[in-house]
Amino acid sequence: MARLTPLPAPWWTNAVVYQVYPRSFADSDGDGIGDLRGVLGKLDYLAALGIDVLWLSPFYPSPQDDNGYDISDYQDVDPVFGTLADIDALVAQAHERGIRIVLDLVVNHTSDEHPWFVDSRSSADNPKRDWYWWRPPRAGRSPGDPGAEPTNWESAFTGPAWELDEATGEYFLHLFSPKQPDLNWENPEVRQAIHTMMRWWLDRGVDGFRMDVINLISKDPALPDGPLLRGGPLGDPWGAVVCGPRIHEFLQELHREVVAGRAEPLLMVGEMPGVTVADAVLFTDPARAEVDMVFQFEHVAMGPVKWDAAAPRLTDLKASLGRWQLGLADVGWNSLYLSNHDQPRPVSRFGDDRRYRVESAKALATVLHLHRGTPYVYQGDELGMTNAHFAAIEDYRDIESRNHYARALSLGQAAEDVMGVLAAVSRDHARTPMQWDDSPQAGFTTGTPWLAVNPNYPSVNAAAAMADPSSVWHHYRRLIELRHDEPVVALGDFTMLLADDEQVYAFTRRLDDVQLTVVANLSSEPVDLDLAVDGDLLFVTGGPGTDPAELAPWESRLYRRG
Ligand code: TEU
């Protein structure tokens, strides 16, 4: 696959990954839901953008309680998304264009409709009972009593993380929704079944996996209660489930059983909420053979809780990203992202989607893509797509957002305040349909979309962006080309500049005698630039680029010396 300049490093160090959320990308059959044939029809669009890897969020059979992150059959395609023949065609035709395919691996939990769980639930002595976490009520309590759950843990989607099964009088663990029971990775049969499933997909030509909440698979077997949240009665499970006691053993075993010895080197990226820099050095050290990179959450989970709508201060963002750059400079590797299907749109959260949508989208891309690591582009970010406007809670589809709303109201919060928070950070902002052109429904579907199209699509769409050389789309294409052509972008050392500046994000990348300097004004006010920069100006966005002492709002520049 000859798109990438060969480097003395793994292929993914100068690759760019594009994430597709199949439900919202392109609908080929008019049912209002995107599908695999829709993605197939857009491969030339992706090839033109220049991306190297396509990460597909789940398309497997699922009751869709959490939009596919609740899988009932790992080795098939949900009819709403297509057939196995469709995914085989997608893999083949992507490879013809030099694009690798990475699938979403959701194995911390299954759907409660997966045959494994149906068997496990059927009786206390079923051979698959121990494939999940079943426990009797807390000592001295009867099934269904308040507080009878085996631990006080809260689920990520609100409510207790344990669900009572009336028939057997026992509780099963679900860190996410009750329809997403957690698999018991302590059981070697579970691990072997997952390894077999992964090899099955790799034998079909898939090039790797994005592993969903993979650092939650090893739980503290003592199942201790967690610190109380909001004064209780529920507690935080994180201390007992994040990077648990056997996590490195399980990942090394998976690497041995699935990844090692493969003809083509794979991409294995672990989504890891709560992971630290020190953890990530262990997880991504090639010598330990665990994963290639991780998704850490520090820069997207800023503020006390997820539901804090406040945008992070630039110095906090720089401090966090700077810490990860330096922490993985010698050993390990970073993934670079500002969004995905769980995060609001970057131009709305970190940029200015009202006065400087194009300029801020470009400046954020300049900064993100020129860090050291593998960049991830979430569908629509290359167009500068923004958060949408949902008038009523009924307009939201995301289980996390709807459950949060219900709990907040039950805690006495005012509906308009909660709607205000959802308007800033709901996951549904990332899930509005892709905006392809200015035809009805933005060219996403000929039917009625499962989630409303953002009404700004007549001006914000792929057709208009590709036709306009000064668009966000062309800037993304240029940044991707730069990573392919300039080894310093992939491997250069990173040095943060102006760390205390609340408006300017600046840093250098250096490899041998080549140095790049990136400066960007990440604010909506002009700013003085107190920085002596040497090198030729390679590009400027959002401003004239002529005044060495001032940057226009959201202006970004790249200089090259050597
Ligand atoms: O997300 C894990 C995760 O950490 C999310 O809960 C995230 O913090 C939160 O949604 C941010 O608002 C993964 C998948 O990406 C997500 O879509 C799934 O809902 C979740 O796991 C369960 O599979």
Side-chain angles (χ1 to χ4, degrees), residues 66 69 109 157 210 212-213 271 306 341-342 400 427:
D66 183 19
Y69 281 87
H109 45 268
F157 295 156
R210 174 266 186 192
D212 190 65
V213 286
E271 183 207 28
K306 146 128 189 150
H341 61 293
D342 290 336
E400 185 185 59
R427 306 192 300 179

Side-chain angles (χ1 to χ4, degrees), residues 19 21 55 66 69-70 104 106 108-109 156-157 176-177 180 210 212-213 216 238 271-273 297 306-307 340-343 398-400 425-427 431:
Q19 180 193 1
Y21 194 69
W55 154 27
D66 183 19
Y69 281 87
D70 50 314
D104 221 306
V106 186
N108 171 71
H109 45 268
F157 295 156
F176 294 91
S177 95
Q180 293 168 298
R210 174 266 186 192
D212 190 65
V213 286
L216 305 186
W238 246 214
E271 183 207 28
M272 296 195 179
F297 283 64
K306 146 128 189 150
W307 301 110
N340 54 39
H341 61 293
D342 290 336
Q343 303 295 332
D398 170 34
I399 181 173
E400 185 185 59
V425 296
S426 167
R427 306 192 300 179
R431 301 171 181 191

Side-chain angles (χ1 to χ4, degrees), residues 81 88 95 148 218 249 272 287 316 328 373 420 430 456 479 484:
F81 294 125
D88 291 345
H95 286 174
S218 169
E249 173 198 343
M272 296 195 179
D316 294 341
L328 298 177
N456 66 8
L479 289 168
H484 289 165

Side-chain angles (χ1 to χ4, degrees), residues 271-285:
E271 183 207 28
M272 296 195 179
V275 74
T276 64
V277 170
D279 296 326
V281 169
L282 298 177
F283 284 126
T284 63
D285 175 355

